Amino acid sequence: MIERMDRPLPTTEAAVAACRLLAAEFGRAIEVSHDIGADQTSRRSAAGVRVTTDPDGSLPHEAYVEFGGLPRLAVRLYPEDDALLTVEGIAFPDVPRDDVPAILRTALDDRAYVRTRRFPPGHRLVVPLPGNRTYQEHIPLIGLTPWPAARIR
């Protein structure tokens, strides 16, 4: 039996472990790449040449996780306790790291859906979470791929 990760994720590595558990639970392939050190992470452009640590001496750790299959899921986990989550090409920026497993589970359980409106025309990907919370992002008209198009309500 696979343990569910419903507890806080204090580190990037804990979030990667949660992603690995979800991939195993849903039978998905997963690829993970790690960037460690201030000179390697994407948000550390102000770090000096050959500087690998933060001013407090710690090593910032960033990871990129990509799931195989449909929907296409990718997560960039930042050292600042947030993430950029992409569901079928639709980006959810500034997601708290602790919400990443819940969003992934909703997408993998096929509970995410697309809300549409006639005027002005538009589509939004809605990802409901426990506790009556939702994440919503606009889908450009040309970004409506077959996976979200099949989930229009």
Side-chain angles (χ1 to χ4, degrees):
M1 180 169 169
I2 296 173
E3 174 189 356
R4 285 186 64 167
M5 298 286 292
D6 293 329
R7 59 184 178 268
L9 303 170
T11 64
T12 299
E13 192 57 42
V16 169
C19 290
R20 287 185 194 280
L21 285 172
L22 283 168
E25 181 178 339
F26 287 94
R28 296 290 189 94
I30 188 174
E31 287 188 34
V32 180
S33 62
H34 297 273
D35 294 319
I36 300 174
D39 60 340
Q40 298 294 310
T41 57
S42 64
R43 289 189 176 169
R44 297 290 202 262
S45 59
V49 177
R50 301 194 196 280
V51 174
T52 58
T53 61
D54 281 342
D56 66 355
S58 66
L59 288 172
H61 179 191
E62 184 176 295
Y64 180 75
V65 180
E66 192 169 14
F67 287 77
L70 288 176
R72 292 173 297 145
L73 300 169
V75 182
R76 171 140 331 258
L77 297 158
Y78 297 109
E80 292 87 12
D81 299 335
D82 68 327
L84 168 65
L85 201 130
T86 307
V87 178
E88 199 60 33
I90 302 152
F92 290 82
D94 302 321
V95 172
R97 184 188 299 152
D98 292 342
D99 285 347
V100 168
I103 293 172
L104 291 172
R105 180 175 296 284
T106 298
L108 291 167
D109 273 344
D110 209 22
R111 289 181 284 142
Y113 61 93
V114 173
R115 183 178 298 148
T116 187
R117 138 183 111 205
R118 290 183 201 251
F119 189 79
H123 303 286
R124 295 184 84 68
L125 179 62
V126 179
V127 181
L129 299 182
N132 287 333
R133 297 181 306 136
T134 61
Y135 281 91
Q136 300 182 36
E137 283 298 327
H138 173 73
I139 304 172
L141 215 46
I142 59 171
L144 199 59
T145 61
W147 186 86
R151 281 143 190 86
I152 292 177
R153 285 190 181 174

